[in-house]
């Protein structure tokens, strides 16, 4: 039996990434811009196959050929004829979906390999029975021959990504080890070459070490590039070795990326976008990271665009040496309807802020809207989709020119709204309500959290000249009634004073503002919720918070008694506060699940939210604000760390509950993304169902026009690599 960590479970969560509302509200020009950027992203995303493992591209082509000839539905009968059980066929579909979603046969989170959860003979039988095989048996047999071995192999070295003996990588030829990586880095540094868009291949000629540095570019020739090219090609003697710097890695895909970026330029919204694309094109044409940096500079200047994007060799987690970037491309769009609701919330700040449970003196003199953008992802090509982005990664640009921080709304929403059978720790009827109202209540909570949460509350400051921003003789601590005796002095800030707990404490304050203000009818009305529906939104928002507090235990490490995630710690703290409120507001029981293993159920008495619940949050929120406003680190720490403590000796055994949470933790979800097509000068959005079959179908239809060519080119690209490995 294969260790379950090395295959994807048949019931793995697969959800459609919904961006219909946001996309429909774009102007035709914005839709065109988004479409061509998406096309560029999807072609570029295929690079990840080649970056991940030597066999990924072969497996991808094998699957594409099978499914282009027969849809997952049509193939089902074939599978039965080939002797596969329903479970085995499902395992085959899940494997294919996993390969597409991760753009390779290693998980994008955790970097471990996954293999099909059905016997190799069954997989082979299905290939042989398929229509694709009947159409071209020799091609399919050759393809199977290329990848059947590594597809299933779980030798120690194969189990994870890594360099040398430690694992598999395609950023380096198989004969490279850490020493080669370090040596090459020295060479690259000496030539002022960035490793971001490169791979390294080693050979030995007459006993001499020869390294080939391959730069990703559409152009293959090594002629000098016109203009401000900083890339040096050619052969160099370096210490006792020879380096040759060559262009043209993934040339076919880079060319496709450039063609689509060029088309997108026609529909750009402003000069910054145009220049940004121009530089990206130069980067992908010539293999210049410098040009990509230039593009990123324009990208930062393009503030708050309706269609946001980023594309290139970005994150370096998966290069075992940590300096080569994995390709990614995304297109995300402003949800204009949601933005309008958020804008209304901001314009109501004047009447809503006084509702918060602290004295007027503790509120800012002037409300400033926090810098917050929520976008819906239309396209995210690469190995996986994050819930937020904080780029560029170029340190020199981040320091001097800044970066963008964006929350990806529809990704976050999917991460919470699960299928009913995956909804842990809730009672049956709560599960139905949760699924129905999670989306709307999540939007209310996000809006309140980001805008009125992080945007509210004043810090009392005495500046360098001794001037106070508050009336020392009048502002009193609402709890003790005494004049306040502490404040921020000179250059002291919230982060510098509260250091280690600052971020989680602040997230907790913002979450509490969300819980507290969602009880307000005016707020609910801004989001379009009235009457009974509004009450459901409130109930599910609070229910989600207490459940999230429980799930948060996953991010606590008992050994070091520390929390690893600010938001999850904040939610656990809130759960503790609400449990402490008593009177049956929150119920938390440990039990045994239907499977005989430990389980837990959390409940919320909806009749007590507006009374017991509201009072508890009101008091706690006020304390949080007073400690924050008055720079009272000691008091703030005692309060926050007290509630953050994960203990086994109180009314609840949180350490044991943590074990249960880990036991029932859901596997990371996969996302099904839409496709866009241009038809009669308009862009059409085609969506797919959230299932393995839907995910597969989306990839089959993604490269409709040039599928054959893409596949042939992918095979050629990996073939070229393996000739080097021999
Ligand atoms: Zn926050």
């Amino acid at each position: 039996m294969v260790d379950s960590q090395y295959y994807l479970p048949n019931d793995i969560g697969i959800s459609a990434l919904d961006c219909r509302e946001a996309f429909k509200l774009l102007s035709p020009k914005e839709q065109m811009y988004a479409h061509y950027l998406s096309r560029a992203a999807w072609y570029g995303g295929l690079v990840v196959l080649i970056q991940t493992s030597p066999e990924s591209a072969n497996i991808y082509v094998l699957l594409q050929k099978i499914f282009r000839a027969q849809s997952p539905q049509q193939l089902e009968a074939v599978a039965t004829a080939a002797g596969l059980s329903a479970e085995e066929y499902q395992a085959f579909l899940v494997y294919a979906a996993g390969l597409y979603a991760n753009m390779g046969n290693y998980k994008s989170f955790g970097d471990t390999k996954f293999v099909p959860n059905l016997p190799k003979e069954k997989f082979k039988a299905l290939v042989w029975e398929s229509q694709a095989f009947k159409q071209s048996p020799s091609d399919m047999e050759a393809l199977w021959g290329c990848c059947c071995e590594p597809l299933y192999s779980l030798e120690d070295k194969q189990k994870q990504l890594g360099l040398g003996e430690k694992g598999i990588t395609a950023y380096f030829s198989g004969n490279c080890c850490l020493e080669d990586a370090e040596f090459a880095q020295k060479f690259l540094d000496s030539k002022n070459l960035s490793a971001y868009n490169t791979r390294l291949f080693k050979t030995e000629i007459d006993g001499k070490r020869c390294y080939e540095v391959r730069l990703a570019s559409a152009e293959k020739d090594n002629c000098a590039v016109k203009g401000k090219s900083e890339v040096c090609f050619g052969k160099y003697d370096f210490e006792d070795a020879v380096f040759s710097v060559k262009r043209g890695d993934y040339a076919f895909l880079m060319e496709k990326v450039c063609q689509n970026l060029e088309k997108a330029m026609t529909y750009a919204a402003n000069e910054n976008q145009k220049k940004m694309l121009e530089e990206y094109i130069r980067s992908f044409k010539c293999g210049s990271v410098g040009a990509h940096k230039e593009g990123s500079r324009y990208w930062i200047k393009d503030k708050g665009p309706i269609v946001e994007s980023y594309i290139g060799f970005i994150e370096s987690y998966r290069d075992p040496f940590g300096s080569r970037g994995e390709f990614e491309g995304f297109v995300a769009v402003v949800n204009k309807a949601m933005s309008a609701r958020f804008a209304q919330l901001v314009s109501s700040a004047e009447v809503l802020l006084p509702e918060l449970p602290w004295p007027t003196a503790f509120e800012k003199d002037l409300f400033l809207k926090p810098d917050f953008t929520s976008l819906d992802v239309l396209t995210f090509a690469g190995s996986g989709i994050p819930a937020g982005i904080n780029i560029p990664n170029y340190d020199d640009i981040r320091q001097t020119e800044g970066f963008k921080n964006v929350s990806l709304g529809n990704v976050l929403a999917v991460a919470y709204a699960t299928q009913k059978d995956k909804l842990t720790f809730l009672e049956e009827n709560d599960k139905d309500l949760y699924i129905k109202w999670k989306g709307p209540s999540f939007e209310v909570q996000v809006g309140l959290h980001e805008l009125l949460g992080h945007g509210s509350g004043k810090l009392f400051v005495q500046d360098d000249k001794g001037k106070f921003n508050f009336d020392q003789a009048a502002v009193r601590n609402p709890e003790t009634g005494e004049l306040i005796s502490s404040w921020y002095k000179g250059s002291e800030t919230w982060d510098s004073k509260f250091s280690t707990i600052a971020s989680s404490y602040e997230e907790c304050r913002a979450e509490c503002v969300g819980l507290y203000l969602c009880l307000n009818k005016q707020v609910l009305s801004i989001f379009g919720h009235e009457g009974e529906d509004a009450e459901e939104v409130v109930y599910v928002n609070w229910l989600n918070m207490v459940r999230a507090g429980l799930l948060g235990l996953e991010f606590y490490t008992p050994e070091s008694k520390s929390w690893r995630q600010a938001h999850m710690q904040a939610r656990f703290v809130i759960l503790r506060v609400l449990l402490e409120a008593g009177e049956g507001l929150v119920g938390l029981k440990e039990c045994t699940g239907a499977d005989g293993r430990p389980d837990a159920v959390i409940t919320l008495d909806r009749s007590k939210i507006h009374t017991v619940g509201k009072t508890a949050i009101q008091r706690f929120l006020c304390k949080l604000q007073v400690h924050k406003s008055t720079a009272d680190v000691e008091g703030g720490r005692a309060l926050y760390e007290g509630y953050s403590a994960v203990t086994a000796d109180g009314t609840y055994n949180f350490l044991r509950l943590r074990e249960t949470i880990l036991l029932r933790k859901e596997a990371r979800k996969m996302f099904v993304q839409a496709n866009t097509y241009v038809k009669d000068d308009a862009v059409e959005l085609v969506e797919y169902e959230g299932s393995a079959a839907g995910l597969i179908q989306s990839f089959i239809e993604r490269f409709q026009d040039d599928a054959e060519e893409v596949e042939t080119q992918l095979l050629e690209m990996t073939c070229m690599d393996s000739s080097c490995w021999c």
Side-chain angles (χ1 to χ4, degrees):
M1 266 305 281
V2 176
D3 182 342
S4 66
Q5 128 176 53
Y6 297 110
Y7 61 78
L8 306 173
N10 267 7
D11 64 347
I12 191 168
I14 303 180
S15 300
L17 201 52
D18 177 15
C19 70
R20 192 185 320 114
E21 185 185 44
F23 189 80
K24 289 270 153 73
L25 293 170
L26 295 179
S27 72
K29 185 181 166 192
E30 289 159 353
Q31 289 185 345
M32 285 294 224
Y33 183 64
H35 165 74
Y36 285 113
L37 287 177
S38 289
R39 296 310 301 159
W42 286 124
Y43 281 111
L46 295 173
V47 164
V48 177
L49 289 167
I50 305 184
Q51 291 180 311
T52 301
S53 72
E55 64 273 14
S56 287
N58 287 328
I59 303 172
Y60 171 88
V61 174
L62 178 77
L63 294 170
Q64 285 288 95
K65 289 199 182 298
I66 292 172
F67 288 117
R68 279 202 297 114
Q70 281 163 311
S71 71
Q73 288 76 15
Q74 291 167 330
L75 199 64
E76 195 169 357
V78 177
T80 313
L84 277 72
S85 68
E87 285 76 39
E88 285 166 340
Y89 184 58
Q90 178 63 18
F92 172 74
L93 293 182
V94 164
Y95 178 78
L99 189 113
Y100 289 128
N102 292 281
M103 268 291 115
N105 58 344
Y106 286 78
K107 294 180 198 166
S108 62
F109 293 90
D111 291 342
T112 48
K113 185 169 181 172
F114 60 94
V115 301
N117 189 21
L118 73 159
K120 197 191 222 174
E121 311 77 67
K122 295 282 180 80
F123 196 133
K124 184 180 176 183
L126 179 60
V127 174
W128 257 248
E129 281 294 317
S130 70
Q131 190 61 37
F133 190 90
K134 292 189 172 120
Q135 283 162 3
S136 43
S138 57
D139 285 354
M140 289 298 279
E141 197 173 339
L143 205 46
W144 173 256
C146 267
C147 62
C148 66
E149 192 53 42
L151 210 152
Y152 273 94
S153 167
L154 279 177
E155 284 169 34
D156 283 346
K157 185 181 149 95
Q158 303 265 351
K159 282 180 178 163
Q160 63 286 312
L161 297 178
L163 193 53
E165 285 315 302
K166 289 204 177 122
I168 292 296
T169 178
Y171 288 99
F172 297 86
S173 54
N175 56 358
C176 285
C177 60
L178 182 64
E179 198 199 338
D180 296 298
E182 285 166 348
F183 184 53
Q185 191 61 48
K186 243 168 92 183
F187 165 76
L188 293 171
D189 290 344
S190 78
K191 292 281 166 225
N192 228 341
L193 263 176
S194 163
Y196 265 116
N197 62 344
T198 69
R199 296 194 297 155
L200 187 72
F201 294 82
K202 179 170 121 175
T203 47
E204 209 151 289
I205 299 169
D206 301 329
K208 197 165 190 175
R209 285 186 295 167
C210 301
Y211 294 94
E212 189 175 305
V213 177
R214 284 194 201 151
L215 269 60
S217 70
E219 285 173 7
K220 290 183 191 166
D221 58 301
N222 288 330
C223 66
V225 185
K226 279 183 209 126
K228 38 180 175 172
S229 170
E230 58 275 67
V231 183
C232 44
F233 313 108
K235 272 199 170 156
Y236 302 90
D237 285 313
F238 186 73
E239 297 186 8
D240 61 341
V242 179
F243 277 86
S244 70
V245 180
K246 285 191 175 164
R247 293 197 296 169
D249 212 8
Y250 336 110
F252 169 79
L253 297 173
M254 291 295 104
E255 179 60 38
K256 289 279 182 186
V257 170
C258 292
Q259 286 168 4
N260 284 288
L261 292 181
E262 255 158 45
K263 287 181 190 155
M265 269 174 77
T266 326
Y267 303 98
N270 55 49
E271 271 315 292
N272 273 328
Q273 284 182 358
K274 258 188 204 142
K275 288 194 173 129
M276 160 189 99
L277 294 179
E278 226 170 67
E279 293 294 341
Y280 289 164
I281 292 167
R282 190 162 74 86
S283 171
F284 301 137
K285 269 220 161 79
C286 313
S288 157
V289 171
H292 196 267
K293 282 187 171 180
E294 281 304 311
S296 300
R297 291 193 165 97
Y298 287 114
W299 178 71
I300 293 167
K301 285 183 202 143
D302 185 27
K303 289 204 168 39
I306 300 293
V307 179
E308 182 62 286
S309 68
Y310 199 55
I311 188 165
F313 296 86
I314 317 293
E315 301 292 350
S316 55
Y317 317 121
R318 294 185 105 196
D319 164 15
F321 192 65
S323 61
R324 288 157 186 81
E326 184 174 72
F327 196 93
E328 79 179 38
F330 78 80
V331 185
V333 302
V334 167
N335 185 325
K336 291 179 183 175
M338 198 200 276
S339 298
R341 295 189 284 271
F342 284 2
Q344 215 191 323
L345 199 58
V346 167
S347 65
S348 311
E350 225 167 82
V351 286
L352 293 173
L353 289 174
E355 297 287 315
L356 288 168
W358 45 77
T360 328
F362 285 71
E363 192 46 72
K364 286 195 180 83
D365 307 325
L366 193 72
F367 176 72
L368 280 176
K369 180 187 166 296
D371 181 20
F372 164 71
T373 322
S374 173
L375 301 172
D376 283 349
V377 170
L378 167 66
T379 297
F380 210 115
S383 64
I385 311 182
I389 45 172
N390 192 321
I391 34 184
N393 286 335
Y394 303 121
D395 272 331
D396 44 344
I397 298 184
R398 288 178 73 90
Q399 306 262 331
T400 54
E401 280 141 285
F403 52 88
K404 285 192 197 177
N405 195 355
V406 173
S407 154
L408 301 174
N410 59 347
V411 178
L412 272 170
V414 166
Y416 286 100
T418 17
Q419 295 118 292
K420 195 176 173 189
D421 56 345
K422 295 252 170 52
L423 259 180
T424 45
F425 315 123
L426 292 181
E427 286 186 326
E428 282 309 304
N429 44 347
D430 274 348
K431 289 182 186 174
D432 294 323
L433 284 176
Y434 186 98
I435 286 166
K436 182 164 180 207
W437 294 103
K438 185 61 198 73
S441 75
F442 182 70
E443 187 186 293
V444 174
Q445 179 69 14
V446 169
L448 291 171
H449 172 118
E450 298 289 351
L451 300 167
L452 302 184
H454 290 314
S456 64
K458 177 172 177 169
L459 300 186
F460 297 129
V461 183
Q462 179 181 24
D463 69 18
D464 287 329
K465 291 176 189 127
K467 198 171 161 262
F468 290 91
N469 72 343
F470 65 101
D471 185 352
Q472 266 179 293
V475 181
R476 290 175 185 277
N477 181 322
E479 275 184 30
T480 60
E482 288 168 17
L483 287 174
I484 63 168
S485 54
S486 58
W487 48 82
Y488 297 84
K489 288 171 188 134
S491 58
E492 285 177 352
T493 64
W494 160 248
D495 282 321
S496 74
K497 286 293 274 186
F498 283 73
S499 63
T500 51
I501 61 162
S503 67
S504 183
Y505 187 112
E506 174 59 11
E507 291 309 330
C508 188
R509 203 182 62 84
E511 287 287 62
C512 286
V513 169
L515 281 186
Y516 190 72
L517 284 182
C518 86
L519 301 173
N520 184 300
K521 291 224 154 39
Q522 190 185 345
V523 167
L524 290 161
S525 165
I526 287 173
F527 286 91
H529 309 303
E530 312 275 355
E532 271 175 39
D533 285 1
E535 281 312 305
E536 300 293 4
V537 167
V538 169
Y539 177 64
V540 170
N541 196 29
W542 280 61
L543 181 67
N544 179 57
M545 188 61 75
V546 292
R547 178 172 179 260
L550 194 58
L551 296 182
L553 284 166
E554 181 192 335
F555 300 90
Y556 176 77
T557 308
E559 290 74 23
S560 55
K561 292 194 162 61
S562 61
W563 283 90
R564 308 190 302 278
Q565 218 282 337
H567 296 81
M568 296 314 268
Q569 177 182 359
R571 289 161 192 155
F572 177 74
V573 165
I574 293 172
L575 168 63
R576 292 280 312 275
V577 168
L578 295 177
L579 280 168
E580 191 189 70
E583 296 189 51
L585 172 70
V586 177
L588 175 55
K589 280 198 197 80
E590 291 185 74
C591 55
T592 306
D595 56 3
R597 300 193 297 173
D599 205 346
V601 176
I602 195 152
T603 54
L604 178 70
D605 183 343
R606 70 160 72 213
S607 71
K608 295 190 172 120
I609 293 175
H610 285 273
T611 51
V612 183
K614 186 176 179 182
T615 308
I617 291 296
Q618 184 172 19
R619 286 207 189 116
F620 181 62
L621 185 51
C622 184
K623 280 185 191 152
L624 287 176
Q625 187 58 50
V626 170
H627 293 306
K628 183 180 176 185
S629 290
T630 58
D632 178 12
V633 187
E634 212 179 308
R637 235 177 225 288
L639 175 75
Y640 201 68
E641 286 174 351
Y643 283 114
S644 300
V646 177
T647 55
D649 49 11
T651 316
Y652 305 95
N653 187 334
F654 288 116
L655 285 171
R656 195 168 60 211
L657 276 161
R658 177 182 164 272
E659 300 289 332
T660 307
I661 305 305
L662 288 177
L663 177 77
R664 299 193 176 270
K665 178 178 118 177
E666 196 194 337
R668 197 168 262 277
K669 270 199 196 65
M670 300 197 280
F671 294 101
V672 183
Q673 301 183 55
N675 281 315
T676 52
Y677 304 97
V678 175
K679 216 170 154 189
D680 306 327
D681 287 331
V683 184
E684 207 177 289
L685 182 78
V686 178
E687 292 169 295
Y688 304 87
E689 66 167 25
S691 67
L695 206 161
I696 291 164
Q697 199 60 37
S698 73
F699 266 90
I700 296 310
E701 293 176 15
R702 195 146 283 152
F703 303 100
Q704 274 176 344
D705 301 340
D706 51 7
E708 290 270 357
E709 194 189 4
V710 168
E711 288 159 21
T712 310
Q713 291 285 341
L714 278 172
L715 293 181
E716 242 170 61
M717 281 183 249
T718 38
C719 205
M720 210 165 79
D721 293 355
S722 46
S723 64
C724 250
W725 289 323
C726 304

